Amino acid sequence: MTKLPIKSEVLEYTKGQLSVEKVEIAKLVKKTGTPVYLYSKKAFLDQFLELQKALDSLDHLICFAIKANSNLEILKLLKSKGAGVDSVSGGELFRARKAGFSGNKVVFSGVGKTDREIIEAIQYNKTGILSFHVESIEELFRIDAIAKKLKRKVGVALRFNPDVDAKTHPYISTGLKENKFGLQSDELDEAVTLLKGLKHVSLHGLSIHIGSQLLNLTPMQDAFYRLLHKTEKVEKALSYRLKYLDLGGGIGVQYKKEDKPISLTQYGKLIKKVFSKTPYKILLEPGRVISANAGVLVTEVLYRKPRSEKDFLVVDASMTELARPSLYGSHHEIIPVEEALFTDRKKQTTDIVGPVCESSDVLGRDRDLSMQLKRGDLLAILSAGAYGFTMASQYNSRPRPAEVLISGTRHRVIRKAENYADLIHGES
Ligand code: LLP
């Protein structure tokens, strides 16, 4: 069997063609068109259930980070297995409500919650949400004032910035002192003191999130112990016990051959080692690890531009469908859908670029790809299920693509491709 550049239980060359589960990509995109996001139901569930299993003996709730993949059908799928959600905006709270999450399964993070968002969270499904993850002292006062007006008492957690270096890309590192996120140790102590004077918020927990795409458990372990230490201090000051600790998300995935992701079993073991003897419910906010390798973005080759140093393949997907490579220089494996083009030994150094009028519109740089690849051939951009569609834009007036969920031999369009009318929606 032809070996793929990254490990996958759901992608495979069969009968000379790349398939997602039992669906041949080439056949499917004849119906859907390209570019298109294809998701595997099995891949989402496998990851979610494996994480759940890794935490089995622990009282826990996995709150999927909506920002990674916010499609309603994906949210409903995870909900059906017992997931909660981590939201960071009023829009994500709206999606959570539409997907049917009850308030006690919703947490609300985010460094700049507006009054409107705070009201929406307090009034979520009438009951309100499980936890506001408070990021500043001013926010704490704001929530208290709004809760007072609405005659409610709301549960909050303080987001602790544990000052550990997650050693990931600086744009997705969040747990260092210089980052805008969370309360530094002394700010958190002050917040606890001030809380005592506030009648409409109750402190139920602490939360952390130190960064994303972490491929090493050591910074997480450091952060967990710092969190535990802080919890003891906070409880002394409060003279009561907290109910939950939220460990955030951040587990990395395999994007390229060399990446060695953290095993979910090891991650679970670490969490159990640190927290199993504590009385707290453990909340988690994983996004990428559940969704990244459940999705591919399929694109068609439009043109080849041969150059002396390397060729360019211009494709019909771009930074507007998948922003990660142009925004962070992220690597996504890009492979031909036709097996013969994948295994072809006559390769050429190639940049895969989109049609957008920006030099940064590059999906893959210096890739060794078959010289035979030409107009009409299909490429699959792997690991695109997290921060793919959710970061898509309409720049250059490009309608956003469809999302399709595959299960076994079946597929379902779970978001239609936008059309030109969608581009001017709301313009007078
Ligand atoms: N919780 C909080 C408070 C977060 O800020 C994030 C991600 C998560 C959970 C989920 O993290 P995950 O498990 O997915 O690593 N657009 C970037 C990633 C930004 C992550 C932002 N926060 C990318 O494409 O790599």
Side-chain angles (χ1 to χ4, degrees):
M1 203 173 18
T2 303
K3 199 161 180 269
L4 297 178
I6 61 167
K7 198 169 157 258
S8 175
E9 300 287 325
V10 294
L11 284 175
E12 199 185 0
Y13 284 110
T14 38
K15 292 186 236 139
Q17 288 291 329
L18 190 64
S19 298
V20 177
E21 299 198 20
K22 302 260 179 282
V23 173
E24 269 185 31
I25 292 176
K27 275 192 195 151
L28 177 59
V29 304
K30 277 198 186 116
K31 291 185 210 152
T32 64
T34 54
V36 62
Y37 275 97
L38 305 182
Y39 302 131
S40 154
K41 179 173 172 183
K42 174 176 159 43
F44 278 104
L45 292 181
D46 282 356
Q47 286 298 95
F48 181 78
L49 296 174
E50 193 179 331
L51 182 57
Q52 218 172 36
K53 195 165 148 236
L55 298 166
D56 51 6
S57 54
L58 213 62
D59 181 17
H60 72 276
L61 177 65
I62 302 173
C63 296
F64 177 64
I66 298 180
K67 64 168 85 69
N69 190 314
S70 60
N71 189 289
L72 280 185
E73 291 305 312
I74 303 303
L75 300 181
K76 285 182 195 163
L77 180 67
L78 296 172
K79 180 179 144 289
S80 73
K81 300 295 170 195
V85 276
D86 166 43
S87 57
V88 290
S89 67
E92 287 191 354
L93 287 169
F94 171 75
R95 283 183 181 273
R97 204 152 44 72
K98 287 282 172 198
F101 286 91
S102 57
N104 62 2
K105 296 248 175 119
V106 179
V107 301
F108 185 17
S109 311
V111 74
K113 301 176 189 75
T114 63
D115 283 7
R116 177 181 163 173
E117 289 171 329
I118 294 169
I119 293 168
E120 284 165 2
I122 294 177
Q123 295 179 333
Y124 183 97
N125 274 0
K126 302 220 170 79
T127 59
I129 59 167
L130 172 65
S131 176
F132 285 81
H133 291 354
V134 176
E135 300 243 4
S136 65
I137 291 176
E138 280 196 17
E139 181 193 330
L140 189 63
F141 275 82
R142 199 72 216 140
I143 295 174
D144 183 68
I146 295 173
K148 181 174 178 189
K149 247 194 227 154
L150 298 174
K151 300 196 177 61
R152 296 281 287 268
K153 182 146 188 162
V154 302
V156 302
L158 297 173
R159 175 160 173 190
F160 175 42
N161 182 333
D163 193 23
V164 297
D165 187 354
K167 297 206 165 52
T168 181
H169 192 290
Y171 285 11
I172 49 179
S173 195
T174 48
L176 273 172
K177 257 195 210 144
E178 63 253 36
N179 297 129
K180 69 178 175 182
F181 298 99
L183 294 147
Q184 286 178 18
S185 189
D186 52 342
E187 288 172 334
L188 194 137
D189 296 343
E190 193 188 342
V192 171
T193 309
L194 292 168
L195 253 161
K196 293 178 189 163
L198 303 179
K199 302 258 170 319
H200 296 269
V201 289
S202 333
L203 182 61
H204 288 160
L206 296 183
S207 78
I208 54 168
H209 172 76
I210 61 168
S212 203
Q213 183 54 12
L214 270 66
L215 294 174
N216 185 334
L217 279 176
T218 313
M220 289 207 188
Q221 172 161 314
D222 288 355
F224 293 170
Y225 280 117
R226 284 183 193 205
L227 173 67
L228 208 50
H229 185 69
K230 197 66 181 170
T231 307
E232 279 168 23
K233 226 178 136 194
V234 167
E235 288 182 340
K236 266 203 193 117
L238 290 171
S239 0
Y240 68 82
R241 285 226 158 222
L242 295 180
K243 293 184 182 166
Y244 52 80
L245 297 178
D246 186 320
L247 310 183
I251 316 158
V253 301
Q254 188 182 22
Y255 281 106
K256 47 182 149 182
K257 225 185 240 160
E258 309 82 77
D259 290 342
K260 297 221 162 38
I262 298 167
S263 98
L264 291 178
T265 315
Q266 290 306 321
Y267 178 64
K269 271 197 185 140
L270 170 65
I271 294 176
K272 286 193 253 179
K273 181 176 90 177
V274 182
F275 299 103
S276 64
K277 294 205 173 63
T278 68
Y280 314 110
K281 179 169 184 142
I282 296 299
L283 309 185
L284 297 177
E285 302 170 357
R288 191 186 315 266
V289 75
I290 307 290
S291 54
N293 280 318
V296 298
L297 172 63
V298 181
T299 182
E300 188 175 304
V301 177
L302 297 174
Y303 302 103
R304 176 179 285 272
K305 288 178 86 166
R307 291 270 171 87
S308 53
E309 6 19 308
K310 61 179 166 191
D311 284 7
F312 288 96
L313 275 182
V314 186
V315 300
D316 67 357
S318 71
M319 65 193 287
T320 65
E321 287 77 22
L322 183 67
R324 303 191 71 257
S326 61
L327 199 55
Y328 316 114
S330 312
H331 181 100
H332 288 255
E333 291 293 344
I334 302 179
I335 60 175
V337 167
E338 199 181 315
E339 187 172 10
L341 291 170
F342 179 68
T343 50
D344 182 16
R345 284 168 189 242
K346 285 198 211 104
K347 303 254 202 273
Q348 169 71 29
T349 309
T350 309
D351 278 8
I352 299 98
V353 300
V356 168
C357 305
E358 296 277 344
S359 296
S360 65
D361 185 22
V362 178
L363 294 163
R365 243 179 241 285
D366 295 330
R367 304 300 174 85
D368 283 336
L369 285 179
S370 165
M371 294 169 83
Q372 310 298 322
L373 270 164
K374 57 176 189 317
R375 185 176 180 83
D377 288 330
L378 297 168
L379 294 172
I381 306 175
L382 308 189
S383 319
Y387 307 107
F389 186 89
T390 52
M391 291 175 72
S393 77
Q394 295 176 332
Y395 183 45
N396 276 208
S397 287
R398 293 170 57 83
R400 287 179 298 175
E403 295 174 284
V404 179
L405 184 61
I406 291 169
S407 175
T409 55
R410 298 219 300 256
H411 75 272
R412 189 154 58 96
V413 177
I414 56 172
R415 192 180 206 276
K416 281 195 238 163
E418 290 177 345
N419 56 32
Y420 291 151
D422 294 321
L423 293 177
I424 55 168
H425 178 74
E427 293 177 28
S428 57

